[in-house]
Amino acid sequence: MASVLSYESLVHAVAGAVGSVTAMTVFFPLDTARLRLQVDEKRKSKTTHAVLLEIIKEEGLLAPYRGWFPVISSLCCSNFVYFYTFNSLKAVWVKGQRSSTGKDLVVGFVAGVVNVLLTTPLWVVNTRLKLQGAKFRNEDIIPTNYKGIIDAFHQIIRDEGVLALWNGTFPSLLLVFNPAIQFMFYEGLKRQLLKKRMKLSSLDVFLIGAVAKAVATTVTYPMQTVQSILRFGRHRLNPENRTLGSLRNVLYLLHQRVKRFGIMGLYKGLEAKLLQTVLTAALMFLVYEKLTAATFTVMGLKSTHKH
C-alpha cells in the first residue's frame, strides 16, 4: 500500500501531467486539424496545413486553439491518473526486480482502463467544446451551444442522459492498447539504449518517445476515428443505442467509413495525428524524464524503479 501512495508515484504523476500539458499546448493546432478531418467527412482538404489555413481563414486566427482549456484540463487529469496508476502498479508488481516488456504492457493496459473509466466524461465534453462554432462541410451535424465545461456537462446530462458522458467508452477501452503499446516500446527501446550507454541524452529520449508513439498511433488509428465520431455524438445519422459505443456500433461506423471512402477513409487525418502525437509524445516524455530526474535530485531521492 505504501508504494501506491508513495511520494515517488506522485512525482511521476505530476511530471507526466506537466509534460503532456506543455507538449499539447505547443502542438494543439495539429490536433484541431485531425479532429476536423475525422468528424467532418465532407471536408475536401486532405493535408494538415490546408485544413489549418481554411480554419484560420473562415473562423479567425485563434480558431486552431478553440477548446484549449477543456482539453488541457482533461489531459492534465488523464495523464495524472495514467502516470500515477502506471508507476504505482509497477512499484507494487516489480518490487526491486528487473522490469520486462510483458510487465510494462500489462501495467500500461490496466493503467489505461482505470484512466478511460475515470476520464471519458471529460473527453466527451472537450470534443464537443473543441468543435463548437466550427464551420462544417457535413450538413448532418447538429450544432451545439455550450457556455463552458460545466454548462456542457449540464446540457449533455439534461438532453442525452448521464450515460452520454461515456459515449465512445468501448472504442476507448480498445484504444487502451495505444498507450500500452507506446509504453512497452518506449521502455523497451530505453532498456536497449541503456545497455549501450550509461545515460540517455535529451535527443535519445525525444527520439524513442517519437518512435514509440508513431507505432502505437498507426496501429490504433481507425479506432480513434470511431471514438471521435461517438464522442462528438452530433451526427443525425448515428445508429441507435450509441451510448457506450457497443461493438455493433464500432463495426457499423468502420463499415460505413470503408464503404464511403475506401480503406484509406479509416486513416483520414492520420498525417495530422501522427505529426501532433509523435511530436507531443516525444516532447512529453522529454519533459517527464527531466522533471522526475530533477525532482528526485533536489529531494535527494533515488528513483527505485529499475529499467
Side-chain angles (χ1 to χ4, degrees):
M1 189 63 187
S3 48
V4 174
L5 301 170
S6 74
Y7 175 74
E8 189 180 330
S9 291
L10 187 66
V11 171
H12 280 288
V14 172
V18 173
S20 62
V21 166
T22 308
M24 186 54 147
T25 302
V26 173
F27 301 114
F28 194 81
L30 293 170
D31 195 53
T32 301
R34 180 268 313 172
L35 195 56
R36 295 292 178 90
L37 284 162
Q38 282 181 326
V39 171
D40 193 4
E41 298 102 332
K42 297 196 177 167
R43 192 173 276 281
K44 294 282 184 281
S45 301
K46 298 283 189 286
T47 62
T48 311
H49 68 274
V51 171
L52 281 173
L53 286 172
E54 261 177 21
I55 293 169
I56 290 166
K57 200 167 89 183
E58 292 172 7
E59 302 167 35
L61 196 61
L62 290 177
Y65 273 91
R66 182 186 286 118
W68 173 83
F69 183 72
V71 169
I72 290 303
S73 318
S74 307
L75 198 65
C76 205
C77 296
S78 187
N79 273 297
F80 185 89
V81 170
Y82 190 85
F83 276 88
Y84 195 95
T85 314
F86 183 86
N87 286 289
S88 300
L89 287 172
K90 202 168 167 180
V92 171
W93 193 16
V94 176
K95 279 214 182 90
Q97 307 154 17
R98 290 186 70 79
S99 189
S100 69
T101 308
K103 281 183 179 175
D104 287 335
L105 186 64
V106 173
V107 170
F109 188 80
V110 175
V113 170
V114 171
N115 186 21
V116 164
L117 295 174
L118 289 178
T119 64
T120 289
L122 287 169
W123 290 111
V124 167
V125 165
N126 91 49
T127 301
R128 304 275 185 105
L129 288 168
K130 206 160 186 278
L131 291 166
Q132 184 162 286
K135 291 187 166 46
F136 292 112
R137 305 292 189 267
N138 186 350
E139 56 285 350
D140 292 316
I141 291 172
I142 308 158
T144 57
N145 185 24
Y146 305 128
K147 294 183 186 72
I149 298 176
I150 306 299
D151 185 49
F153 270 111
H154 173 71
Q155 282 196 44
I156 292 168
I157 292 168
R158 187 191 64 201
D159 302 337
E160 301 168 51
V162 127
L163 286 178
L165 289 171
W166 275 271
N167 272 354
T169 299
F170 186 76
S172 299
L173 285 171
L174 295 179
L175 279 169
V176 160
F177 282 109
N178 183 313
I181 292 166
Q182 177 191 346
F183 261 75
M184 181 183 80
F185 270 90
Y186 178 76
E187 296 282 344
L189 288 167
K190 199 161 108 177
R191 275 194 292 274
Q192 289 307 310
L193 275 178
L194 283 170
K195 282 179 189 168
K196 297 186 177 74
R197 59 192 84 171
M198 283 295 291
K199 200 162 166 282
L200 296 184
S201 69
S202 298
L203 183 64
D204 290 333
V205 173
F206 191 87
L207 288 175
I208 59 177
V211 171
K213 191 63 185 180
V215 173
T217 299
T218 309
V219 169
T220 57
Y221 192 75
M223 207 48 71
Q224 292 183 32
T225 300
V226 169
Q227 179 196 48
S228 293
I229 293 166
L230 284 166
R231 277 179 179 170
F232 184 44
R234 309 299 296 173
H235 286 71
R236 290 190 174 92
L237 298 175
N238 268 2
E240 282 89 59
N241 176 30
R242 67 164 180 250
T243 306
L244 295 178
S246 65
L247 181 58
R248 206 177 77 222
N249 288 333
V250 170
L251 294 174
Y252 169 86
L253 285 165
L254 287 171
H255 178 246
Q256 288 296 98
R257 201 88 179 173
V258 173
K259 205 163 85 178
R260 290 169 69 187
F261 305 105
I263 202 80
M264 290 320 288
L266 295 176
Y267 287 91
K268 203 166 177 238
L270 177 64
E271 177 208 2
K273 181 69 181 173
L274 271 178
L275 259 177
Q276 181 252 325
T277 50
V278 167
L279 294 171
T280 302
L283 186 56
M284 181 202 75
F285 275 122
L286 184 58
V287 174
Y288 164 66
E289 293 284 358
K290 296 289 171 204
L291 255 180
T292 44
T295 312
F296 287 131
T297 309
V298 168
M299 302 307 288
L301 291 167
K302 196 174 184 313
S303 176
T304 55
H305 288 186
K306 289 196 177 171
H307 291 294

